[in-house]
Amino acid sequence: MEKFLCPVFDEAFSSWIYRCIKGSPVVGLMLGNIHVRSAPAKFIGEVRYEDPDFDLRSKFIRFCRKELSIDDDVLVATTSRMGGSLLPWSARRLYCSECLSRDIADGLLPAWRKSWCYVTSAYCSVHHIELSYFLGHEGLNKGWAAFAVEANRIKEPPSSKVFRIWQSDPVHSTKNEILKKVSLWLDESFSQSDNLALRQRLECFEFVLRMFLQSPTTQHVGGVAWHITHWGRGGSRLGRYRYSFIHSLRMGVIEAKINERVCAFVLAAKVFSIVSDEDVGVMAEAMRDFYYYFSLSRFELGRRSATFGCRQDYAYVIRKLKSYPLARSPGFMDFLMGIQSEEVR
């Protein structure tokens, strides 16, 4: 084990391997030009990658395990995962700038954390800040590349009035408080994965999150969270004419950057009554001239989220939401009634 560096707490497997390669010439020679394998996806220009962090069947993990004779206990520890859905490898771009800076201060190469890899990732529970979004490539050196971006970032005040409000108090501090409450709520669901009610609650929360982040296409205006950056214009994308309703639900959570994601978290927290109406009301008041969705009732949020193009889309959403009977709460039922009020006729 002398050739291995110790994994940082919560470090992703691919990040650990990259740091071992850079920290040990022996490991570098044994692994050579190892990379994450990809294959063409359904649509032209889309690529599907293997999962080098959690999938023990991936060629990346199997090759590393064979060449480095990684102990089973170490492998289990570095590839273990919480409950909830994972983002695909190419979409794992959320990171905590403070975590990366702390690694550097400790004399380490920046390590990518596993907790940043989930559909429900938006908040660092260690440093109590929202995550940042990395715009670079999806290589093994993402941790170092993201730190380099942060280190060279020129700190300037937001150029628009909207983003000045979004990044300033009381909106900014309220966002963090809401994200903290959602993070604790999610941790409870993750820690009791054998509890059917909590598992259904988590799955239902993820689906509502996907609805708020539905990717804009020529056929669908997109989830309401996208309006936080398009400022009410919806942002239909001409290249998305082939995307089905279900595919746009899947793609939205992959494409969303941190502002859209945080917005969706706040709205979902309201639907599931994770936070009080007073908490969201602070943001609603400050943002009322730019983003009125925070002030809407749960029923009205459901109605505005009913972006169905046909009866099949409506049936799919209702079937999914009704498949979580143990996740129902008064707030969620109001949201569901709002969706049902917009049934395609």
Side-chain angles (χ1 to χ4, degrees), residues 5 33 36 45 49 79-80 137 155 164 205 208 220 272 306 318 327 330 337 342:
L5 299 176
N33 296 319
V36 180
Y49 289 89
T79 59
S80 62
H137 63 91
K155 304 294 183 181
R164 281 197 296 273
F205 180 87
V208 171
H220 308 100
F272 285 86
I318 296 301
M337 288 174 63
E342 291 295 301

Side-chain angles (χ1 to χ4, degrees), residues 134-175:
F134 177 53
L135 291 170
H137 63 91
E138 57 274 356
L140 297 177
N141 66 334
K142 275 190 303 188
W144 174 254
F147 171 77
V149 169
E150 285 293 328
N152 291 288
R153 191 188 302 276
I154 299 175
K155 304 294 183 181
E156 294 181 343
S159 58
S160 70
K161 180 180 179 181
V162 176
F163 276 104
R164 281 197 296 273
I165 294 173
W166 182 249
Q167 298 290 10
S168 304
D169 287 337
V171 173
H172 183 67
S173 57
T174 305
K175 277 191 300 179

Side-chain angles (χ1 to χ4, degrees), residues 83-84 120 181-193 195-209 268-269 271-274 320-321 323-329 332:
T120 52
K181 291 179 180 180
V182 174
S183 178
L184 293 172
W185 186 87
L186 290 170
D187 286 344
E188 180 187 9
S189 299
F190 291 145
S191 64
Q192 302 181 49
S193 57
N195 185 312
L196 180 59
L198 292 181
R199 190 164 67 247
Q200 285 194 11
R201 188 176 72 172
L202 174 61
E203 291 173 359
C204 190
F205 180 87
E206 283 189 3
F207 189 76
V208 171
L209 203 65
V271 168
F272 285 86
S273 302
I274 302 171
K320 285 289 291 185
L321 292 176
S323 67
Y324 309 114
L326 300 180
R328 295 177 184 176
S329 63
F332 172 74

Side-chain angles (χ1 to χ4, degrees), residues 166 174-175 178-179 182 209 212 261-271 275 279-280 283 294:
W166 182 249
T174 305
K175 277 191 300 179
I178 291 175
L179 288 174
V182 174
L209 203 65
F212 287 143
R261 186 176 293 270
V262 168
C263 179
F265 267 75
V266 172
L267 295 175
K270 179 175 182 175
V271 168
V275 296
D279 289 334
V280 183
M283 298 183 69
F294 291 138

Side-chain angles (χ1 to χ4, degrees), residues 196-257:
L196 180 59
L198 292 181
R199 190 164 67 247
Q200 285 194 11
R201 188 176 72 172
L202 174 61
E203 291 173 359
C204 190
F205 180 87
E206 283 189 3
F207 189 76
V208 171
L209 203 65
R210 291 179 187 274
M211 291 186 67
F212 287 143
L213 288 170
Q214 181 188 6
S215 181
T217 70
T218 52
Q219 299 178 48
H220 308 100
V221 71
V224 296
W226 284 97
H227 295 219
I228 199 70
T229 44
H230 292 293
W231 307 118
R233 296 190 295 274
S236 298
R237 303 183 180 186
L238 296 178
R240 302 294 174 78
Y241 62 91
R242 299 166 299 174
Y243 281 17
S244 67
F245 178 83
I246 295 176
H247 192 69
S248 67
L249 286 175
R250 184 180 70 84
M251 290 301 297
V253 76
I254 292 173
E255 296 175 335
K257 299 180 176 63

